[in-house]
Amino acid sequence: MADDDDLIAGHLQELRRGTVVLACLTRLRIPDYGYALLEALDALGIQVDANTLYPLLRRLEKQGLLTSEWNTAESRPRKFYRTSPTGDALAATLSADWDRLTASLHRISEGELP
Amino acid sequence: MTTLTDRYVWAAVRTVPEPQRSGLEPEIRELIEESVRARIDAGDPVPAAESRALTELGDPERLAAAYVDRPLTLIGPRYYLDWWRLLRTVALIVVPISTAAVLVAQLLVSNDLGGAIAGAVSTALGVTVHLAFWITLVFVIIERTGTPGPGAAWSPDALPDVPDLSRRSRLPDLIASLVFLVLLAGVLLWQQFVPGVRDAAGGAVPVLDPKLWSFWIPWFLGLLAAEAVFAVVVYLRGWSWSLAVMNLGLNLAFAVPAVVLWIDGRLLNPGFPAAVGWDQGAPEAGGVIGAGIVATVLVIVTWDVVDGFLNARRASGAPVRRPALHNR
């Protein structure tokens, strides 16, 4: 039984892996810092661990998909990320592909044959 | 700032190169502080919140590695197969050659079979460890410095031939075995009855001690006959694990008495060295010949046994899912 749970969890993780990137790029059109993004995604049912999300944001920044700025106005310094124009274009591409895959999966499950 | 957080931050940033530390430290600090705040907001008691948040973040070195894309494998999937193939190929070539060379050299020098085998075994171990270490080290460096991209290109030309397990493919082996066995039996008989060496009185001088005819020469002749039957069985039925074990037994039955007889000095005809003009006072000459014979026997026997097991594995690894192998 535990093996079944592990199996399902593993496949779910595989399926969701790329969607976190898409969610970040889409959500960060409005600038925000890591933990606020995490809580926003969590509220929408997109779960991601903090120790995964923070390195991911840094990697996306390195790839030029996000820009960042330290906000030191408040009591604790926070790094605010924002989607760059490149990141925006990638989000559009990923989103279109996601929609296409969803449509394809629906057609398969409805029994359509090529 | 509390000590636990400071220690966590330090544990993380010390594992990344110096220039990246100043950039990384405030990020990890923010991550920890926000995680702690979220836990306190959710109702965790203040003292425990920090410890729990850090527990959730996990090993600081792993977190830092995720930040700087440091690989957490010694050799990743990109180079693993290249590493494994190179290691296997080099080990299969170098280890047997160096081991056999050490065995023969030590036998020639010392006549001490036990010492020679011990030297050969320690050489085999040492060479294997060295090969594995240095080849792995090179790949670990490539893994960490190599330019991104696929490893060595692969093409269908690299595909191995499907092993031919049909009976016909075993015919050359059968013929070679039978010819070899007949020749060996012929030599055993020839050295006794048609010797090329004669003593001063014109009498025949066999190479092997004639006293061995009481038991050991018939034993070896019987073994040769058994080997011939065995070769036919292998031809008819193909290799299997039980046949490989039987092959091991036959080889031991041949090699162990031969080596023991040589060590006891009962193998050669005592009159033979004198008859061919070897100086009686120089036992090294006979020793060198004997050592050469024993080393050759050991190398052939070892190879034959290993070959038997390799064939058995090849045959047992040919499962039903490969229809190309059904033409037995």
Side-chain angles (χ1 to χ4, degrees):
Chain A
M1 200 58 207
D3 283 353
D4 276 1
D5 290 348
D6 282 354
L7 186 77
I8 293 168
H11 281 291
L12 279 176
Q13 196 186 0
E14 280 297 306
L15 187 62
R16 290 169 181 172
R17 185 158 287 162
T19 62
V20 176
V21 171
L22 177 55
C24 290
L25 292 175
T26 312
R27 176 63 175 70
L28 288 173
R29 284 167 180 155
I30 310 155
D32 217 335
Y33 65 97
Y35 221 89
L37 172 68
L38 182 136
E39 283 169 341
L41 293 181
D42 196 43
L44 293 167
I46 301 176
Q47 273 147 13
V48 55
D49 289 332
N51 57 8
T52 307
L53 183 67
Y54 270 69
L56 174 68
L57 291 175
R58 191 186 166 90
R59 195 173 317 135
L60 294 177
E61 183 192 4
K62 227 187 214 169
Q63 292 171 346
L65 304 170
L66 297 175
T67 58
S68 76
E69 204 175 337
W70 279 95
N71 180 344
T72 48
E74 290 176 58
S75 63
R76 23 167 103 98
R78 285 164 171 163
K79 195 177 185 183
F80 275 69
Y81 289 96
R82 182 196 190 106
T83 309
S84 72
T86 324
D88 221 27
L90 180 67
T93 307
L94 293 182
S95 193
D97 206 53
W98 178 260
D99 290 342
R100 186 186 62 76
L101 284 171
T102 308
S104 301
L105 288 172
H106 277 304
R107 283 159 64 189
I108 290 173
S109 66
E110 280 157 18
E112 182 177 321
L113 296 171
Chain B
M1 195 52 52
T2 53
T3 326
L4 221 46
T5 300
D6 285 340
R7 281 163 62 196
Y8 190 97
V9 171
W10 168 239
V13 297
R14 70 174 174 171
T15 64
V16 307
E18 193 81 44
Q20 298 182 33
R21 288 186 190 176
S22 56
L24 198 56
E25 176 167 353
E27 288 205 30
I28 294 181
R29 231 173 243 292
E30 182 205 319
L31 169 58
I32 296 170
E33 283 168 16
E34 296 295 339
S35 305
V36 174
R37 180 196 51 79
R39 287 202 157 263
I40 294 172
D41 287 355
D44 269 20
V46 175
E50 183 186 31
S51 168
R52 288 185 192 166
L54 293 180
T55 307
E56 199 175 32
L57 288 178
D59 191 327
E61 198 163 345
R62 185 182 296 277
L63 181 70
Y67 265 109
V68 296
D69 281 335
R70 184 160 72 97
L72 291 180
T73 52
L74 198 58
I75 296 171
R78 181 151 55 112
Y79 292 113
Y80 175 81
L81 281 176
D82 295 324
W83 166 79
W84 174 236
R85 286 182 190 135
L86 183 67
L87 187 62
R88 206 173 38 186
T89 309
V90 173
L92 281 178
I93 293 170
V94 174
V95 174
I97 290 177
S98 52
T99 306
V102 167
L103 182 68
V104 171
Q106 295 228 353
L107 279 176
L108 289 180
V109 171
S110 71
N111 251 354
D112 168 16
L113 182 69
I117 290 178
V121 168
S122 84
T123 302
L125 283 175
V127 169
T128 308
V129 169
H130 264 282
L131 280 179
F133 175 78
W134 293 108
I135 290 178
T136 306
L137 182 67
V138 168
F139 271 90
V140 167
I141 293 171
I142 293 175
E143 175 77 39
R144 274 144 187 79
T145 60
T147 49
W154 184 89
S155 83
D157 295 337
L159 287 173
D161 288 328
V162 173
D164 182 0
L165 296 178
S166 64
R167 185 175 291 173
R168 199 195 327 175
S169 75
R170 293 194 293 268
L171 189 57
D173 281 345
L174 173 68
I175 293 173
S177 297
L178 291 180
V179 167
F180 176 75
L181 292 170
V182 168
L183 278 178
L184 210 54
V187 167
L188 271 179
L189 297 172
W190 168 83
Q191 61 85 30
Q192 174 70 33
F193 297 114
V194 200
V197 180
R198 290 179 185 281
D199 60 14
V205 181
V207 181
L208 299 179
D209 196 334
K211 277 181 282 195
L212 294 175
W213 276 100
S214 64
F215 178 74
W216 283 113
I217 290 181
W219 164 267
F220 287 126
L221 287 173
L223 268 181
L224 291 179
E227 292 257 15
V229 172
F230 180 79
V232 173
V233 171
V234 167
Y235 167 71
L236 292 177
R237 299 181 35 194
W239 280 98
S240 66
W241 290 112
S242 49
L243 285 180
V245 171
M246 215 180 286
N247 186 40
L248 171 70
L250 283 172
N251 274 296
L252 286 179
F254 196 98
V256 171
V259 170
V260 168
L261 285 173
W262 172 70
I263 290 175
D264 291 352
R266 292 194 286 148
L267 191 62
L268 289 186
N269 182 1
F272 179 74
V276 291
W278 286 340
D279 186 355
Q280 288 284 55
E284 308 90 60
V288 167
I289 299 287
I293 293 172
V294 168
T296 311
V297 166
L298 287 181
V299 168
I300 291 177
V301 161
T302 309
W303 167 246
D304 192 54
V305 168
V306 169
D307 188 51
F309 280 102
L310 288 179
N311 278 319
R313 194 183 69 166
R314 209 171 298 152
S316 71
V320 269
R321 67 189 144 85
R322 291 200 292 199
L325 304 183
H326 275 194
N327 53 355
R328 291 181 190 226

